[in-house]
Amino acid sequence: MGYRDVYEGWQADPEGFWMSAAEAIDWDTAPSKALDDTRAPLYEWFADARVNTCWNAVDRHVEAGRGDRVAIIYDSPITGAKRNISYGELRDNVARLAGALAARGVTKGDRVIIYMPMVPEALEAMLACARIGAIHSVVFGGFAANELAVRIDDCAPKCIIAGSCGIEPGRVVEYKPLLDGAIEMASSKPEFCVILQREEAQADLVEGRDHEWHAFQDGVAPVDCVPVEGNHPAYILYTSGTTGQPKGVVRPTAGHLVALHWTMKNIYNVDPGEVFWAASDVGWVVGHSYICYAPLIAGNTTVVFEGKPIGTPDAGTFWRVIEEHDVKALFTAPTAFRAIKRADPGGDLIKDYDLTGLRTLFLAGERADPDTIEWAQSKLGVPVIDHWWQTETGFAIASNPMGIEALPVKIGSPSVAMPGYDVQILGDDGHPIPAGELGAIAVKLPLPPGTLPTLWNAEERFVSSYLTTFPGYYETGDAGMIDEDGYLYIMARTDDVINVAGHRLSTGAMEEVLASHPDVAECAVIGATDALKGQLPVGFLCTNAGTSKPDGDIVAECVSLVREKIGPVAAFKHAVVVDRLPKTRSGKILRATMVKIADSDSYKMPATIDDPVILDEIKEALQTIGYAN
Ligand code: COA
Ligand code: AMP
């Protein structure tokens, strides 16, 4: 069967399609039906089933006699460490950690925050939570204490599991002071913390609250998997929205298992036992779905890579990992390839390695520019597959389904809608518009299994953020078009989310931080195009009348403030002081026009602008920091 047949098969009988995919999962109680639409437009899948994620990702492979198969390859060029963990060892490690958590009172439904670098223990912590039905929320290490505090207050974890440090090129990022600061700031306090001490930084433990990872598990009895309801939240993953308050995307247990398992063969074309590598971070959705869960659910070997595409030690690292571990499919963000291409434009380092095992390169997380795709294709000699998805969906909305049929690649398009997704382009009036025309990208409800059923403790926000603009549809927040052949093109966000090195960030959240500076009266942040990171935030600051502080000092303080409040990952390094911001007569800041000016693109003078001269002032200010040339 080709893609068309599979997609039409799903369209003809969506519930039948997913019930059949559900046969790949080990159920404690099989679902009696697929979709529960009694609360439409809120939907749930496999709600009456009982199942355990950890069983499906780990134990069942051991029970089937494959305990010796490698589950996790840990490869850390930044520390020099390398280690393989078999499914059998993983089961034992996870059962022990889960036992220790349970012994301390963590039970089904309790939240556990995980704040860890790219080490296998991060996956073990996630799986240990899944084993006992606790709901984990992994927080990316590049976020500052304040961001961690916001998440602690939102999900009120009973426990926080953290590493003592992460390691960035040239510096050790001590997590413990950030963790202590976050707990201090938060009004909700965890009962206890578990700290994995790393050689590069030993953390001071708070007596009575903090436990060292190994001591915590000493002498504790391992525990078995606890079956949970199909609609039980497997995890919460916070992602950027339009304000400083991140959205807690909820991942439902059963749909997650069914959908992710389906993708491993049908989209990524890997078979059980093969090595799959997602070069991302466990703090992002790509890390949740494709470093941890999907490869393990499908019985693959996953790679936990603690390093960067360049500089650890060079732009050949990815090729070394692919050769050494016989990686069949690599998944990363286009930024990683732009970094490699910049460091080794001729791809000379590729020639030092045998990459014949690699079948496909998958890219997602941000727009894949044609130059990067073409470079990767020509240097690697394998198909380069752009695919499009979001934290909210947990797996691809559009892709080229390599395990079903390798469709012709159209560079600039993440290809076609996956089964489960009825993707439509809508005009301002909410009606579908013809092929080739630009509009808002929306998905007809219900979304498929595994996608978010709601936001954590924020059902109203879920409805107003995603389901209200276009009744009957999920609003993706992306704009684009579909061509005559059904290929999608993702052009821009319709909100203030920007994408910096594949990391999703909110300019609104940065504006909130800038506005808190005592000398800033008004501000705006835009995402300007960047050749390496895709986009970079640029801030515009209007200072209070009578401020005596030099502009340069205010800019420097604002740059530090964003780093301190949001974290280094925001990559907020450029800001300018301007007299006024360009606005419409109704007071809306013309951010889209400012982006065009920064990028030196042509733009139409907005008809509603209150004073066109301001745009010249913006251009001059941008030129002082290297934009708008
Ligand atoms: N913990 C602490 N700090 C972190 C961090 C982490 N886990 N990850 C990144 N940071 C810091 C970086 O050290 C950097 O700090 P600096 O301002 O002091 O230099 C800052 O956050 C910005 O990081 P990043 O945007 O990643 O830029 P970079 O210059 O360090 O690296 C790339 C550039 C392209 C090599 C890097 O972005 C990369 O590997 N991207 C791959 C994309 C990816 O994995 N995306 C995930 C979604 S699929
Ligand atoms: P995240 O939730 O961090 O995965 O970010 C999701 C957003 O990243 C999407 O809404 C898009 O704006 C963008 N994105 C992800 N994948 C792609 C892609 N293949 N092409 C263009 N944009 C993408």
Side-chain angles (χ1 to χ4, degrees):
M1 268 208 295
Y3 160 74
R4 261 294 125 227
D5 306 312
V6 174
Y7 191 79
E8 284 167 9
W10 161 74
Q11 277 178 315
D13 180 12
E15 292 197 58
F17 179 91
W18 291 116
M19 280 302 256
S20 142
E23 286 167 17
I25 298 306
D26 271 16
W27 302 96
D28 292 273
T29 308
S32 71
K33 64 182 195 125
L35 183 67
D36 177 354
D37 58 3
T38 49
R39 291 187 67 220
L42 306 178
Y43 297 90
E44 289 187 323
W45 291 90
F46 311 116
D48 70 357
R50 290 177 75 80
V51 68
N52 184 278
T53 299
C54 184
W55 173 271
N56 278 279
V58 185
D59 297 53
R60 66 163 165 169
H61 305 306
V62 183
E63 296 294 317
R66 294 188 291 272
D68 291 337
R69 179 182 289 174
V70 177
I72 300 174
I73 296 169
Y74 171 49
D75 188 313
S76 170
I78 206 149
T79 61
K82 272 188 211 173
R83 181 154 54 99
N84 285 358
I85 299 170
S86 69
Y87 272 96
E89 282 170 78
L90 183 61
R91 197 260 319 261
D92 294 347
N93 294 351
V94 170
R96 198 177 329 105
L97 179 59
L101 290 170
R104 284 261 155 196
V106 177
T107 67
K108 183 182 158 210
D110 286 338
R111 273 80 58 211
V112 174
I113 279 188
I114 299 173
Y115 187 53
M116 295 187 91
M118 281 294 290
V119 291
E121 287 85 351
L123 278 65
E124 291 177 1
M126 293 162 81
L127 292 162
C129 291
R131 194 171 188 87
I132 54 176
I135 303 167
H136 66 66
S137 186
V138 182
V139 179
F140 177 63
F143 281 125
N146 184 59
E147 289 287 327
L148 182 54
V150 168
R151 287 154 175 78
I152 294 174
D153 272 336
D154 196 71
C155 75
K158 189 174 261 185
C159 157
I160 300 183
I161 305 179
S164 61
C165 67
I167 303 152
E168 286 295 292
R171 78 194 153 103
V172 171
V173 182
E174 292 198 32
Y175 283 5
K176 192 58 185 0
L178 297 172
L179 173 61
D180 290 343
I183 295 175
E184 178 79 32
M185 259 180 255
S187 31
S188 165
K189 310 285 179 195
E191 283 176 20
F192 67 97
C193 300
V194 182
I195 308 295
L196 177 75
Q197 296 281 20
R198 305 191 71 192
E199 268 174 31
E200 294 75 12
Q202 292 285 312
D204 294 333
L205 302 185
V206 175
E207 181 81 33
R209 187 196 74 187
D210 298 344
H211 305 268
E212 186 276 324
W213 175 274
H214 296 286
F216 177 68
Q217 302 180 51
D218 257 2
V220 166
V223 290
D224 284 335
C225 297
V226 175
V228 300
E229 298 76 21
N231 57 2
H232 181 70
Y235 68 77
I236 306 163
L237 178 57
Y238 288 89
T239 190
S240 298
T242 46
T243 65
Q245 181 67 31
K247 294 170 171 169
V249 168
V250 171
R251 187 77 55 219
T253 299
H256 183 229
L257 283 163
V258 173
L260 288 190
H261 183 277
W262 184 87
T263 63
M264 286 310 286
K265 178 64 192 169
N266 292 290
I267 295 183
Y268 299 102
N269 195 25
V270 291
D271 289 313
E274 292 186 328
V275 181
F276 182 84
W277 177 25
S280 176
D281 188 285
V282 283
W284 306 115
V285 69
V286 175
H288 281 63
S289 293
Y290 292 106
I291 296 174
C292 184
Y293 289 112
L296 297 178
I297 293 164
N300 293 109
T301 296
T302 186
V303 180
V304 172
F305 172 76
E306 191 182 24
K308 302 268 175 181
I310 52 170
T312 58
D314 57 29
T317 302
F318 272 27
W319 324 134
R320 197 258 312 149
V321 172
I322 292 169
E323 178 192 279
E324 195 170 322
H325 306 302
D326 195 20
V327 172
K328 297 295 180 202
L330 167 64
F331 176 173
T332 192
T335 300
F337 266 76
R338 287 196 295 270
I340 294 171
K341 175 169 160 246
R342 182 183 274 193
D344 180 20
D348 294 335
L349 292 167
I350 298 175
K351 298 175 196 131
D352 296 344
Y353 299 92
D354 175 6
L355 304 188
T356 47
L358 184 71
R359 284 199 292 261
T360 328
L361 167 66
F362 292 90
L363 298 176
E366 55 171 329
R367 190 177 159 269
D369 53 290
D371 277 359
T372 304
I373 296 185
E374 279 160 6
W375 184 87
Q377 245 166 18
S378 71
K379 300 294 177 218
L380 295 177
V382 298
V384 178
I385 305 302
D386 179 16
H387 61 325
W388 169 62
W389 52 297
Q390 314 182 304
T391 305
E392 287 85 344
T393 64
F395 72 102
I397 309 170
S399 182
N400 195 328
M402 297 303 281
I404 299 175
E405 177 187 0
L407 297 171
V409 168
K410 291 196 189 189
I411 290 186
S413 164
S415 300
V416 295
M418 290 296 90
Y421 295 98
D422 178 353
V423 181
Q424 311 245 345
I425 308 295
L426 305 180
D428 290 341
D429 61 359
H431 288 100
I433 54 177
E437 284 183 28
L438 255 181
I441 310 179
V443 183
K444 207 153 195 312
L445 294 172
L447 291 175
T451 55
L452 83 173
T454 190
L455 294 174
W456 182 254
N457 273 342
E459 193 157 285
E460 269 179 33
R461 188 177 182 197
F462 172 65
V463 173
S464 65
S465 304
Y466 299 107
L467 308 181
T468 303
T469 312
F470 304 117
Y473 292 88
Y474 163 81
E475 182 182 7
T476 66
D478 285 311
M481 62 167 193
I482 300 183
D483 73 9
E484 301 283 353
D485 301 323
Y487 279 61
L488 259 162
Y489 293 78
I490 316 298
M491 316 296 279
R493 288 288 302 192
T494 56
D495 56 14
D496 59 4
V497 164
I498 59 169
N499 214 310
V500 180
H503 310 316
R504 172 166 160 183
L505 299 163
S506 160
T507 54
M510 293 184 218
E511 288 176 4
E512 283 177 28
V513 173
L514 297 176
S516 73
H517 188 287
D519 293 310
V520 172
E522 205 185 5
C523 64
V525 175
I526 60 163
T529 301
D530 181 75
L532 175 65
K533 297 194 179 187
Q535 285 181 300
L536 270 186
V538 175
F540 297 84
L541 313 166
C542 300
T543 54
N544 288 320
T547 303
S548 55
K549 200 176 272 178
D551 289 353
D553 291 2
I554 297 176
V555 165
E557 286 169 16
C558 282
V559 166
S560 310
L561 201 60
V562 174
R563 195 176 171 95
E564 180 193 318
K565 295 283 182 204
I566 297 180
V569 67
F572 183 84
K573 303 215 162 133
H574 298 299
V576 280
V577 172
V578 290
D579 285 339
R580 19 185 215 164
L581 295 170
K583 291 185 188 167
T584 61
R585 277 179 219 111
S586 59
K588 217 171 149 264
I589 298 175
L590 291 161
R591 292 183 180 78
T593 309
M594 292 159 79
V595 171
K596 289 217 155 67
I597 296 174
D599 291 352
S600 311
D601 284 348
S602 59
Y603 61 90
K604 270 218 295 276
M605 181 63 70
T608 56
I609 189 166
D610 61 350
D611 180 359
V613 177
I614 306 182
L615 295 182
D616 295 330
E617 295 168 15
I618 291 291
K619 184 172 179 183
E620 279 166 31
L622 280 164
Q623 284 171 338
T624 64
I625 52 168
Y627 289 93
N629 289 311

